[in-house]
């Protein structure tokens, strides 16, 4: 899994912010009458949306006595396979370059998932906790931090190419006592499904 889910889901809207590429750009027609590939250009990003999605969940966890370590099996929720995608890729730029440009715009700490990466349901995914003295009700989950964005790419004085990016910032897992509400969207959903109705985490969900 890429990274760890350690942030709350946020949603935002960014319009008209420009990011300039690094290499040379040509937009004139070549000898065959076709426009040459544009290896540089200006991106305008809009409609940037972040969504944290719950992907796996443990059964309700209950400790009748203090337990120092625990292994929880996380069951996949559905059969969705996540793959980064770009529609409207500018000629000569490539999917990976567009995703990297979005990463620069968002100023992410780690690269966004690239075209060769896949996140699929895992039947044998486990979460392990080996610190602390666990007692009472707990919940565990896995999640993915998705990113969607629209873009317009302009090379020289040519017509802009419009497209859309879908990728993710990271994936991860969480494990908390039902007395502790999660500050993440996926964690709150997990608590709602598996914690006792009167617990702090379930009430906050």
């Amino acid at each position: 899994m890429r990274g760890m889910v350690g942030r709350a889901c946020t949603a935002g809207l960014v319009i008209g912010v420009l990011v300039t590429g690094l290499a040379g750009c040509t937009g004139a027609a070549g000898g065959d009458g076709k426009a040459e590939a544009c290896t540089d250009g200006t991106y305008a990003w809009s409609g940037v949306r972040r969504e944290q999605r719950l992907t796996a969940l443990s059964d309700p966890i209950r400790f009748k006595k203090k337990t120092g370590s625990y292994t929880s099996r996380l069951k996949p929720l559905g059969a969705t396979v996540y793959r980064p995608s770009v529609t409207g890729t500018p000629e000569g730029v490539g999917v990976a370059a567009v995703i990297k440009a979005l990463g620069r715009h968002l100023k992410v700490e780690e690269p966004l998932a690239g075209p060769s990466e896949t996140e699929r349901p895992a039947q044998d995914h486990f979460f392990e906790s080996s610190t602390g003295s666990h007692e009472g009700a707990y919940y565990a989950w896995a999640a993915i931090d998705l990113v969607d964005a629209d873009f317009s790419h302009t090379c020289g004085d040519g017509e802009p190419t419009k497209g859309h990016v879908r990728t993710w910032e990271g994936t991860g897992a969480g494990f908390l006592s039902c007395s502790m509400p999660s500050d993440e969207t996926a964690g709150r959903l997990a608590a709602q499904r598996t914690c006792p109705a009167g617990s702090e985490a379930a009430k906050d969900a």
Side-chain angles (χ1 to χ4, degrees):
M1 301 177 77
R2 303 179 76 255
M4 290 297 295
V5 174
R7 51 195 170 276
C9 177
T10 59
L13 179 65
V14 181
I15 300 177
V17 180
L18 304 182
V19 179
T20 304
L22 300 177
C25 174
T26 57
D32 58 1
K34 297 181 180 180
E36 295 181 12
C38 180
T39 58
D40 180 23
T42 300
Y43 288 91
W45 296 99
S46 63
V48 178
R49 300 173 295 282
R50 287 182 168 95
E51 176 191 3
Q52 188 180 76
R53 186 169 295 180
L54 185 67
T55 57
L57 189 66
S58 72
D59 289 330
I61 303 168
R62 307 290 185 266
F63 298 111
K64 294 183 179 180
K65 60 181 181 180
K66 289 186 178 181
T67 304
S69 62
Y70 178 73
T71 299
S72 174
R73 181 173 182 271
L74 300 178
K75 299 178 180 179
L77 300 177
T80 301
V81 177
Y82 297 96
R83 296 183 177 89
S85 64
V86 177
T87 59
T89 309
E91 180 155 4
V93 175
V95 172
V98 177
I99 293 175
K100 287 180 180 178
L102 176 58
R104 290 194 298 270
H105 169 64
L106 297 177
K107 299 179 181 179
V108 295
E109 294 182 2
E110 295 184 10
L112 299 173
S116 64
E117 298 185 55
T118 301
E119 186 67 22
R120 62 181 66 248
Q123 297 293 336
D124 58 350
H125 182 65
F126 295 85
F127 182 84
E128 297 182 354
S129 175
S130 58
T131 60
S133 182
H134 309 311
E135 188 173 12
Y138 282 73
Y139 57 113
W141 71 94
I144 185 170
D145 287 349
L146 299 171
V147 180
D148 280 271
D150 300 314
F151 71 88
S152 176
H153 179 272
T154 305
C155 182
D157 56 0
E159 289 295 320
T161 298
K162 297 182 183 297
H164 181 83
V165 180
R166 183 173 177 81
T167 182
W168 59 87
E169 292 186 77
T171 61
F175 175 81
L176 286 174
S177 166
C178 287
S179 65
M180 298 177 59
S182 173
D183 61 357
E184 299 177 354
T185 299
R188 289 192 291 271
L189 290 173
Q192 187 179 54
R193 295 191 185 194
T194 61
C195 284
S199 66
E200 291 300 317
K203 289 189 295 184
D204 186 69

